[in-house]
Amino acid sequence: MELADMKAVVTGGASGLGEATVRRIVEKGGQAAIFDLNSERSKKLIEELGRESVFYLQTDVTDAKQVEQNIAQVVERFGHINAVVNCAGIGTPGKVVAKNGPMPLEQFEKIIQINLIGSFNVIRVAAAAMRKNESNGNGERGVIISTASVAAFEGQIGQAAYSASKGGIVSMTLPIAREFAQYGIRVMAIAPGLMKTPMFDGLPEAAVESLSASVPFPARLGQPSEYAQLVESVAENVMLNGEVIRLDGAIRMQPK
């Protein structure tokens, strides 16, 4: 699928990896709907990129009814949906048992709810809409790309909840791809390493330099634009299906 033909839903599309993806889609002639809670950043992005190519729907990805309603609005606006890029997520760290006692269960539940269940929620509704699409020359009706993490494979101390949520994304990619194969809908995941997203903005420069040096090559943080570049590659290559691609400069995370 060429990005110029893409009618996409991008969750977390107002910042970081999602914003870079929205920009890439629009630059290549496609259209994107931003599902995000940050209305201010979303509206600024729309002003910059143009209302013909981008629109915004305030969306809590964990809300089943809201996602159903918003997907319906996207179909009405674009005519159909043929792509989803799931970037919405949080990464609140926390030890299972800290000095003041066990992690509040609500903290674990919230991370799973947003990262894993939120991704699944959007997939289930969007795929139902994609099934109705006319297939392209490759027999393809849609592509779904979710965001995992290297923490799914090498979670650090304090990342039990985050690793579990991203591990869930990894684990569900293949069975969903197998299920959707009959409809011509591909399902993929990208597992980024250390990326220069807003979560790094508050870190001291020395900390950023130390983290950058831990990446074998290139010895720096990944750029959101590189994530978006991989989204484009996945969209264009119809043989990419049911797989998780690491985007990490060969880093393997240490225990802490």
Side-chain angles (χ1 to χ4, degrees), residues 83-164:
V84 165
V85 185
N86 277 317
C87 295
I90 60 173
T92 310
K95 290 184 177 181
V96 179
V97 180
K99 290 181 180 179
N100 59 346
M103 173 191 289
L105 186 58
E106 294 79 8
Q107 183 177 334
F108 185 91
E109 289 175 332
K110 182 177 180 180
I111 293 171
I112 298 295
Q113 190 75 21
I114 294 173
N115 294 359
L116 176 56
I117 296 176
S119 295
F120 179 82
N121 189 24
V122 176
I123 288 171
R124 71 179 183 92
V125 182
M130 288 180 189
R131 284 174 50 182
K132 302 174 184 177
N133 294 344
E134 292 291 331
S135 60
N136 63 17
N138 292 318
E140 187 176 24
R141 289 186 171 85
V143 60
I144 295 167
I145 303 169
S146 293
T147 305
S149 167
V150 296
F153 310 103
E154 303 112 35
Q156 296 183 296
I157 294 171
Q159 287 189 318
Y162 183 72
S163 295

Side-chain angles (χ1 to χ4, degrees), residues 2-5 22-30 232 236:
E2 300 292 329
L3 260 61
D5 300 322
V22 170
R23 289 182 181 278
R24 187 90 174 191
I25 292 168
V26 173
E27 286 168 3
K28 295 300 180 78
E232 181 176 12
E236 291 181 342

Side-chain angles (χ1 to χ4, degrees), residues 150 154 192-194 211-217 220 246-254:
V150 296
E154 303 112 35
L194 300 177
L211 288 168
S212 300
S214 68
V215 183
F217 184 82
R220 60 170 174 79
R246 292 182 67 128
L247 182 66
D248 61 12
I251 196 171
R252 297 297 181 267
M253 302 300 290
Q254 298 304 304

Side-chain angles (χ1 to χ4, degrees), residues 229-244:
Q229 182 181 0
L230 183 52
V231 167
E232 181 176 12
S233 297
V234 169
E236 291 181 342
N237 193 330
V238 73
M239 280 299 290
L240 288 174
N241 193 18
E243 186 55 272
V244 180

